[in-house]
Amino acid sequence: MSQRDGFATGFFAGAVFGSVVGGILGAVIASRRDEELPEDGKDLINGSGESKKVSSKRRQMISSDDENQEMELTRRSLEDKIAQLNATIDEVRKHLGNVNGSPSQPSGDR
């Protein structure tokens, strides 16, 4: 029974101690994180970043053309790979159909 009597006080003391340590640790991490903000981010937070917003929008518009070309190349590459996979699947179906002795069905159902 003596262990149960000290449990509640120990639990609350641990909770208070953990809260204090966690609060201090959180404050230290948050202050370090604020120091690591990039210069553009600090200007936007301070409200003097209107010119920065315009230049970043221009950069996004310029990069979107490059991204569109890159997306088109990626799409074409994926289409080629899908076509190769479909051809391979058709070959395997023909091969398995011949192995099983059943006549191969035309693959024009797709």
Side-chain angles (χ1 to χ4, degrees):
M1 253 336 201
S2 64
Q3 288 180 347
R4 284 189 151 279
D5 293 338
F7 175 75
T9 56
F11 179 77
F12 287 118
V16 170
F17 180 74
S19 299
V20 170
V21 170
I24 292 171
L25 186 63
V28 169
I29 291 173
S31 66
R32 286 188 181 172
R33 210 167 160 200
D34 288 341
E35 292 172 359
E36 294 175 357
L37 280 177
E39 292 300 319
D40 292 342
K42 285 184 180 178
D43 287 342
L44 291 175
I45 290 172
N46 294 335
S48 63
E50 293 300 322
S51 63
K52 299 279 185 187
K53 289 181 184 178
V54 172
S55 64
S56 67
K57 286 182 183 177
R58 287 181 184 162
R59 277 187 248 138
Q60 286 176 356
M61 289 176 66
I62 292 170
S63 66
S64 72
D65 291 338
D66 295 337
E67 288 175 3
N68 287 340
Q69 290 175 352
E70 192 173 319
M71 289 282 271
E72 183 66 22
L73 289 173
T74 304
R75 185 184 63 81
R76 288 182 183 176
S77 173
L78 287 173
E79 286 177 352
D80 292 342
K81 290 179 182 180
I82 290 171
Q84 288 175 349
L85 284 171
N86 286 337
T88 305
I89 290 170
D90 289 341
E91 289 178 19
V92 169
R93 280 185 183 164
K94 287 180 184 177
H95 178 71
L96 289 177
N98 292 338
V99 169
N100 291 335
S102 63
S104 61
Q105 297 176 350
S107 61
D109 295 342
R110 289 190 247 173

